[in-house]
Every structure is written in C-alpha cells, then in structure tokens.
Amino acid sequence: MAQAVHAPHVVVLTSPGVGHVAPVVELATRLAAHHGVTTTIVTYGSLSSPAHSPSLASLPAGTISTAALPAVAVDDLPSDAHIVTRILTVVHRSLPHLRALLRSLLASSPAGVTAFLADMLCPAALAVAEDLGVPRYVFYPSSLMSLCTLLYTPELARTTSCECRDLPGPVVLPGCLPLHGADLVEPVQERANPVYELLVQLGLDYLRCDGFIVNTFDALEHETFEAFKELSDKGVYAPAYAVGPLVRSPVSSSDVAASGHRCMTWLDAQPDGSVLYVCFGSGGTLSAVQTDELAAGLEASGQRFLWVARVPNDMDNCASYFGGEEDGDDTLGYLPEGFLERTKAVGLVVPEWAPQVEILGHRAVGGFVSHCGWNSALETMAAGVPVLAWPLFAEQRMNAVKLGSEGLGLALRVTAREEDGVVPRDEVAMAARELMVGEKGAVARRKARELQEKARKASVPGGPAHRALAAVVDMWKCAAASPAVAAGAGL
C-alpha cells in the first residue's frame, strides 16, 4: 500500500516584536501559497505585545497555525536590563517548553516537523532541534550585511579590547561596506553590559544551523552574497538564501479608509509626491525634547507631512517595542502648544500607528523620515520612496549606512548634536526641504525608483526570491524522506 504523502511542515520560532513577527507571517504565507508548505508559527507568552495579534489573526486557516510558549519569569533581571538581554533571557528559559512543543508536533503532525526555523534572536533554540534530529535554519529578517557582522562578533570580541565606537579603523568584512565601530549593532557598543557577551554567544549559536534564510534580495546585496558563498563553499558558514523582500502587498486606499484610517483620505487630497511621511517604526520612541524639535522642524520646513507620533520617553528610544497602543488624545497632548492648529493646513498627526505599506504606496507621498528598521527599509524600496535616515537602536545605524550615499544612495541623513544626541529643529527643517525639493533629494528619489524595479523583479512569480525559497523547500523535502527525520530522531 502506497504511503501517504503529506505537505512539508515547518516550525518557525519568532522573536517578540512586530518587526520580527510580520516578516515571519509573510514568509509563512508565501510558503503556503507558492510551495505547498504548512507552518506553525511559535511566539512567546513572555514579552508579547497586543500589536502582534492583527497579523497573526489574519493567517489563512488550514495552512498556518500558531502556538505560544508559556510565559517564563524574568523579574530577577535588573530594571534597566537591555531589551536584547530581556529577549534572550526569555529565549533561553523557554527552551524546555520549546522541546516539549517540538516533540508533540513530531508525534502528532501528519508530516512531523520537516524543518525548524529560528528567528535571528533565537539561535540558542537550534540546539533543541539538533537534539531532536530536525533540520535547522535561521530565519534572518534583516540584511545579509548585518548577519555578517553578528557572525563576526565573537572574533571582534577576541581580537579587540576597546569599545566598538573607539575602534581605530573601520570594520571591513568580505563583500560588505566598511563600517565604523559605532555603526555596528547597538547591543555590542558597551563591553561592560551583560548584553555584550550574549551577542557574542549569539554569533556562535548561528554556527549550528544548516542554512540562513534572509529577508533581502540578491540585487540589493550581490557582492555580499558572492563573498558569503565563497565562505560557505569553504565550510566556514552555512549557505544563505535571499528570499526577500518579504513585504506585504498593500490593500486599496479605499479599503483602508473604510476601515477608519483617516490618513488615507487626507492623503487623497494632497498633491502628488508632496507629503513627507514621518514614522519611527513599531518600537521607536523620541524624548520630549526631541519631539519638540521634530515638531518645530517640520513646521519650519514648509513641507506637507504625515507624522505617526508617540508619547515621548526620555529614558528609552525603544520604549514602545513591547507596548500596545496608547490613548490617541494622550499622545497628541505631548505636542508643542498650538502646533496642530498652526500646521493643520499642511500636516496631519496620527497617534501611535498608521497603515505604513499603504501610505508609502500612495501617490502623494514623496519622502520618508525613517528609523531605518529593515522592514521599513524594504517597504520604502518596494514603494520607490526616498528616505531621511534617523536611526535609533538595534542595527538601524548600519542600515542607515547601507541606504545612504556610501551604499544604495536612496537616503539622506540627519545630524544630531554631539553634546546631547538631539537633532535640532533647524537641521530637521533643512533636511526635510532637501529630501523633498532639493537636488540631493532628487538623486535619492531616482535611486529609490531604480531599487523599486529591482525589488519588483526579485519578487515576481518564478523570480529570484521564489527560486531561492523553492531550493530550500526541496532540501526540506529530501531531508523529510530520510528515515532519521521521518522517525523523529532523538525523541
């Protein structure tokens, strides 16, 4: 009697944070739609945000399921523990729960577990999959260049003793842009902080994987992929596969407006290419002083703007990372007195959240003030919109270098004061005008449109991203046919 053939089934463990969950959802959607793969997305009961639920709630039934690991205690961590320390602590303390879940899926799912994918902050979980005999991959939702720097972190720690920002020369990795030490990921900037050693171990944990599935595309990082392939061929690293850009397709403006997003109706009334969109991602937060300076700068620039504003936080520029939405009236109350009235003819301020993909794709939007999170970077490339780079945390300074004149050329950069790190109002006004109506902005706009076409070609059916993901799925299918994986080795 012929054995039943089941669709490959993969388990993806995602880090907390909307910026991590969203590309996992898009990856799972494409696996189901184009490659016949079913997925279980695993999230954490600890450090979860209510903002995660919309993307998870919209998943297609039958092909993508979700599971949440039980919450673990982290109240023994210092109150000022770095956000990555908190996340990685949850990852490590949740490993027994993950092992139990994988064992259950291996035993109960018709296809077992064909492969296990760990998000970029969860490579410690690869050891669990290895013990259970499941092929293991890292899903890396940022650039290949930033992955290269994290892989290099253990060597950097071994061969240097100074702080990254004090490195005497640039860090030059094969196929990557030269990076100043201060532009490396923010958690490695202070050796005395416990998060530093955690990042070193993160780089070592990556070496357990069978491959890296990266949310980028070859035309964006061709030289980096060529250099990485040489290292992979020598057995230094597992191979990397460019499956991006994993960017959600926009719905129509009318649908968004009907759902209550008044910003789309407002944009419909603005001239083509005239609006500067201002948003610092799902977790970015400005100080009270910086909020005032941004408001004054936007007003002085004379440019039309759509600003997604948040309640200021003077202690933490990623204070919104785990939080839900604040009360809108409370948020607007932190803006300078009279600002909304004075700018109502040219600007709109939206509290907490707006439909970014639809905004960037609107004909009226001509520029984007961005924190340079990788999801936002890919979304602005897909829309062909130039950027005013304003990085805040994580790998955003590195992304700003990548998007800027040293790299892709679609971004200008704001300059902060050395004494307090604040971008002053006159700098905001000048940079906004330059991006929207200046010569440098025009050059960046041309570069953005060129990248838009490259991103489109990468994503078309049968294109590079589709072929790369198909190659990975084929490997999963071959692995699933082996007796060890089929039986759930290590159970």
Side-chain angles (χ1 to χ4, degrees):
M1 185 174 179
Q3 185 176 5
V5 177
H6 299 288
H9 179 74
V10 300
V11 176
V12 187
L13 178 64
T14 178
S15 300
V18 177
H20 291 263
V21 174
V24 165
V25 168
E26 189 63 28
L27 174 66
T29 301
R30 295 190 187 188
L31 284 170
H34 304 305
H35 304 282
V37 176
T38 63
T39 303
T40 298
I41 299 175
V42 182
T43 59
Y44 290 93
S46 303
L47 305 181
S48 292
S49 165
H52 296 169
S53 56
S55 58
L56 294 176
S58 63
L59 294 172
T63 55
I64 305 173
S65 59
T66 61
L69 299 178
V72 295
V74 290
D75 52 2
D76 57 316
L77 294 178
S79 59
D80 62 348
H82 193 282
I83 184 174
V84 175
T85 297
R86 284 182 276 162
I87 291 173
L88 296 184
T89 300
V90 168
V91 170
H92 283 85
R93 294 181 183 180
S94 299
L95 293 181
H97 298 304
L98 175 66
R99 181 182 295 273
L101 174 63
L102 287 179
R103 280 178 167 169
S104 174
L105 290 171
L106 280 164
S108 63
S109 173
V113 177
T114 310
F116 173 74
L117 281 61
D119 175 88
M120 64 182 291
L121 293 179
C122 306
L126 296 171
V128 175
E130 186 176 14
D131 289 345
L132 298 177
V134 178
R136 54 210 176 273
Y137 292 76
V138 169
F139 173 60
Y140 199 83
S142 190
S143 70
L144 182 62
M145 183 172 74
S146 72
L147 171 60
C148 291
T149 66
L150 289 180
L151 285 166
Y152 178 69
T153 299
E155 178 68 9
L156 181 68
R158 186 185 67 83
T159 57
T160 64
S161 58
C162 64
E163 302 290 5
C164 283
R165 59 181 172 273
D166 298 325
L167 289 172
V171 174
V172 182
L173 300 177
C176 298
L177 293 170
L179 294 167
H180 296 295
D183 291 326
L184 296 177
V185 293
E186 178 266 327
V188 302
Q189 293 298 325
E190 186 181 350
R191 283 179 179 263
N193 193 309
V195 76
Y196 184 90
E197 289 300 326
L198 292 175
L199 262 290
V200 172
Q201 185 58 49
L202 189 86
L204 295 172
D205 286 339
Y206 282 146
L207 302 180
R208 291 180 176 271
C209 78
D210 297 315
F212 297 96
I213 299 171
V214 190
N215 187 15
T216 187
F217 51 102
D218 184 83
L220 187 62
E221 301 190 88
H222 180 72
E223 293 182 2
T224 312
F225 270 101
E226 288 294 307
F228 200 91
K229 185 177 185 303
E230 289 186 15
L231 294 171
S232 299
D233 291 343
K234 295 176 182 177
V236 178
Y237 301 132
Y241 304 90
V243 301
L246 296 172
V247 176
R248 178 179 62 81
S249 298
V251 299
S252 70
S253 296
S254 58
D255 289 342
V256 175
S259 300
H261 300 300
R262 63 190 179 94
C263 62
M264 302 306 296
T265 302
W266 183 83
L267 285 172
D268 287 342
Q270 310 307 315
D272 290 359
S274 66
V275 175
L276 180 63
Y277 171 54
V278 184
C279 182
F280 295 92
S282 58
T285 311
L286 304 179
S287 68
V289 170
Q290 185 63 87
T291 299
D292 285 349
E293 292 298 306
L294 174 56
L298 290 174
E299 183 176 355
S301 74
Q303 305 303 306
R304 298 173 188 270
F305 65 87
L306 169 57
W307 178 11
V308 181
R310 289 201 176 91
V311 172
N313 188 296
D314 291 336
M315 301 299 295
D316 191 350
N317 60 14
C318 57
S320 299
Y321 191 85
F322 294 129
E325 297 179 9
E326 301 285 345
D327 179 78
D329 292 337
D330 188 40
T331 301
L332 299 182
Y334 284 90
L335 298 176
E337 185 176 356
F339 170 74
L340 293 175
E341 180 64 24
R342 292 192 303 271
T343 59
K344 65 181 181 181
V346 295
L348 177 67
V349 181
V350 179
E352 299 304 320
W353 183 86
Q356 179 160 295
V357 171
E358 286 73 25
I359 290 170
L360 288 171
H362 196 284
R363 56 158 186 81
V365 173
F368 181 16
V369 177
S370 173
H371 66 311
C372 297
W374 193 245
N375 288 328
S376 290
L378 292 177
E379 287 165 1
T380 200
M381 290 179 211
V385 175
V387 171
L388 187 56
W390 192 322
L392 296 178
F393 61 95
E395 88 285 22
Q396 294 164 13
R397 288 179 62 95
M398 189 187 314
N399 294 342
V401 173
K402 179 77 175 174
L403 298 177
S405 58
E406 308 96 320
L408 299 169
L410 80 158
L412 310 184
R413 186 81 174 260
V414 295
T415 302
R417 295 190 297 240
E418 290 187 9
E419 61 268 24
D420 59 4
V422 171
V423 180
R425 62 188 64 191
D426 57 345
E427 169 69 8
V428 173
M430 180 180 65
R433 285 193 296 266
E434 183 60 43
L435 181 69
M436 297 302 289
V437 297
E439 293 182 7
K440 293 180 180 179
V443 172
R445 190 163 288 104
R446 287 196 295 272
K447 291 289 187 179
R449 288 171 180 162
E450 291 172 7
L451 278 165
Q452 181 184 28
E453 180 60 17
K454 292 178 180 179
R456 186 196 65 79
K457 289 181 178 178
S459 300
V460 296
H466 181 275
R467 295 197 302 270
L469 197 52
V472 176
V473 171
D474 286 343
M475 287 190 295
W476 293 344
K477 291 178 179 177
C478 290
S482 70
V485 174
L491 280 174

